[in-house]
Amino acid sequence: MKKTLIIVMAILMLSVFTYSQSKIGIINAQKLLEQTKKGRSVAQKIENIGKQKQATLKNMQSEIKRLEKELMSPALNDATKEKKALELQNKRTEAKRFIEDTQREMQMMSQQEMVKLQEEIRPIIMRVGKEKGLTVILEITAVAYYDPAADITNDIIKIMDGQ
């Protein structure tokens, strides 16, 4: 029993010693996106496409409003009203589908761009980690507390924008 206790204590002390030798780095992915040239470029590209989609949707909504006004006209006969009502319904369905398709498209494009950016950043993160002798690098959102000295985000930004 005494021998087992000594072995367990030795293992615990060894693990504490090993843990104390670990150096951890922290990165802020949001800051990388906002403060690197490449990150801002990706964000701008996505924003520009979003603005184009918004303009298209605005035109669709204007057409819907026009049809709604036409449908309210007392001068329309029943056949024309029915035709306009069907056209209005089709335009609303088209707008709804456009919104759904745009959301899906924007989400996919955003994910693809982020994957490309991550592939570009990953070697830089690894390089900084090796240079600083880090054992682990974590993203800031996964950490409850950290010493600001462990944050290597600015080092990565300098390297990325220096390329």
Side-chain angles (χ1 to χ4, degrees), residues 4-159:
T4 305
L5 184 58
I6 292 173
I7 291 172
V8 169
M9 293 287 285
I11 290 172
L12 285 174
M13 289 178 69
L14 181 61
S15 66
V16 168
F17 176 73
T18 303
Y19 179 73
S20 68
Q21 296 298 316
S22 297
K23 287 182 70 180
I24 298 174
I26 303 294
I27 58 167
N28 183 334
Q30 185 65 34
K31 187 175 177 181
L32 289 172
L33 181 64
E34 294 170 356
Q35 295 186 7
T36 59
K37 291 175 188 172
K38 183 71 172 183
R40 287 190 303 264
S41 171
V42 166
Q44 187 64 49
K45 178 181 177 182
I46 292 169
E47 184 180 334
N48 289 342
I49 292 171
K51 285 180 181 177
Q52 291 171 353
K53 297 289 186 176
Q54 283 179 330
T56 301
L57 179 60
K58 188 175 180 179
N59 289 338
M60 293 172 100
Q61 290 170 333
S62 294
E63 181 67 14
I64 289 170
K65 285 181 183 179
R66 183 190 63 77
L67 286 169
E68 288 171 341
K69 282 184 181 180
E70 287 180 12
L71 193 58
M72 299 273 233
S73 174
L76 296 177
N77 63 31
D78 288 343
T80 307
K81 271 187 178 181
E82 193 174 306
K83 183 180 174 188
K84 291 284 182 186
L86 182 60
E87 186 179 351
L88 177 60
Q89 183 180 5
N90 289 340
K91 290 290 182 182
R92 286 179 176 157
T93 301
E94 182 182 343
K96 182 180 176 187
R97 286 184 183 147
F98 178 80
I99 291 168
E100 291 168 354
D101 291 347
T102 297
Q103 288 172 339
R104 205 171 17 260
E105 180 184 336
M106 295 297 291
Q107 186 176 22
M108 284 177 47
M109 181 184 24
S110 181
Q111 287 173 346
Q112 289 171 347
E113 291 295 326
M114 289 301 125
V115 166
K116 287 180 193 175
L117 188 59
Q118 286 173 347
E119 289 172 357
E120 188 175 319
I121 292 174
R122 187 172 307 280
I124 297 169
I125 292 171
M126 292 172 65
R127 181 173 125 199
V128 170
K130 286 179 184 176
E131 288 173 0
K132 293 189 173 278
L134 302 175
T135 308
V136 176
I137 299 174
L138 302 171
E139 213 288 313
I140 197 168
T141 57
V143 179
Y145 168 80
Y146 70 97
D147 180 347
D151 191 339
I152 61 169
T153 306
N154 290 333
D155 298 324
I156 294 167
I157 291 171
K158 287 176 188 172
I159 293 170

